[in-house]
Amino acid sequence: ARAAPCVPGIATRVEAAHSLFSEVVSATGSPEVRYVETSQIVHELGPEAALPDGIHRSSLGHQRVAVMLAQEIAPWAKEQFE
């Protein structure tokens, strides 16, 4: 049940959203605000394992996102509480 046939132009929309998110984060000018690009998870796991319906992440996909976010947040959090 892949989404692409059901949602025309989804790939272009996703690319536009990622670009917009990145621009918004850059526009803040703050090193405290970050955009964590998680699309590499799809490449690592493969589309069927990461996005079984073509849009929503699988449990494994969510676990990988959690690890990426923890790796990004942990060094910042450590600095805040030292």
Side-chain angles (χ1 to χ4, degrees):
R2 305 296 300 161
C6 302
V7 185
I10 189 70
T12 302
R13 294 176 189 183
V14 168
E15 286 180 32
H18 285 257
S19 180
L20 178 61
F21 299 153
S22 184
E23 288 175 27
V24 168
V25 168
S26 293
T28 69
S30 171
E32 299 289 317
V33 180
R34 298 179 184 104
Y35 175 63
V36 179
E37 177 57 65
T38 61
S39 63
Q40 70 186 33
I41 293 168
V42 177
H43 301 293
E44 292 171 6
L45 297 177
E48 292 296 326
L51 307 168
D53 67 358
I55 297 176
H56 303 97
R57 294 195 187 278
S58 64
S59 294
L60 181 57
H62 280 293
Q63 289 173 355
R64 294 286 182 91
V65 170
V67 169
M68 287 181 76
L69 293 176
Q71 290 171 340
E72 186 71 27
I73 293 167
W76 173 87
K78 184 178 178 182
E79 290 176 10
Q80 303 308 306
F81 299 105
E82 285 185 337

